[in-house]
Amino acid sequence: MKRLSIVCIAAALAACSNTPVPTDQAKEVSGTQLLTTAYSKAAEDTGRVIIKRDAGQMGSLCNLYVFVDGKPLAKLYPEEKVTVHLAPGRHILSADPRGACPGGMSEQTADIVKGSTQVFRGSFTSAGDFNLLPTAF
């Protein structure tokens, strides 16, 4: 009976976890969700950063606000992404879940190289933690 309870709890928690969305399947934000267009244009001397949000129910009732170097960039819903073009050098990427959701702000350093692309994903774990991490997905 104890094992059955543990299996049921694990299955319930797994159902709440999120899954990565392939970058080419995530919807690019636009309109009022894009809080600035300062980083929208590609230039010969920039690198590209894509920040995307996972699919899933965990955290689905909140908005994910994304920042570059402390400046508001975009508001993401599940399965959405924002693409920015940044000058070479070190930048701080921040993602802050706001609303009826668990977790708090997560930040990552991005070392931008001319012509490169880096991809980050915002994800809620089944324990309710929020992370912004580099991803290969």
Side-chain angles (χ1 to χ4, degrees), residues 39-51:
Y39 309 107
S40 297
K41 299 241 186 222
E44 188 177 308
D45 62 340
T46 61
R48 184 169 70 149
V49 173
I50 299 168
I51 304 168

Side-chain angles (χ1 to χ4, degrees), residues 17-96:
S17 64
N18 292 349
T19 56
V21 175
T23 303
D24 62 346
Q25 293 177 21
K27 180 184 172 198
E28 188 75 33
V29 297
S30 62
T32 59
Q33 284 180 255
L34 195 58
L35 305 176
T36 183
T37 57
Y39 309 107
S40 297
K41 299 241 186 222
E44 188 177 308
D45 62 340
T46 61
R48 184 169 70 149
V49 173
I50 299 168
I51 304 168
K52 60 185 178 173
R53 185 168 168 184
D54 281 358
Q57 295 301 312
M58 183 63 106
S60 62
L61 295 177
C62 63
N63 301 314
L64 183 63
Y65 285 84
V66 179
F67 302 83
V68 172
D69 297 327
K71 297 176 183 106
L73 175 62
K75 178 172 61 171
L76 299 178
Y77 298 116
E79 301 183 54
E80 291 185 333
K81 68 182 175 184
V82 61
T83 303
V84 295
H85 304 276
L86 301 175
R90 177 169 269 175
H91 296 274
I92 302 294
L93 307 175
S94 309
D96 188 15

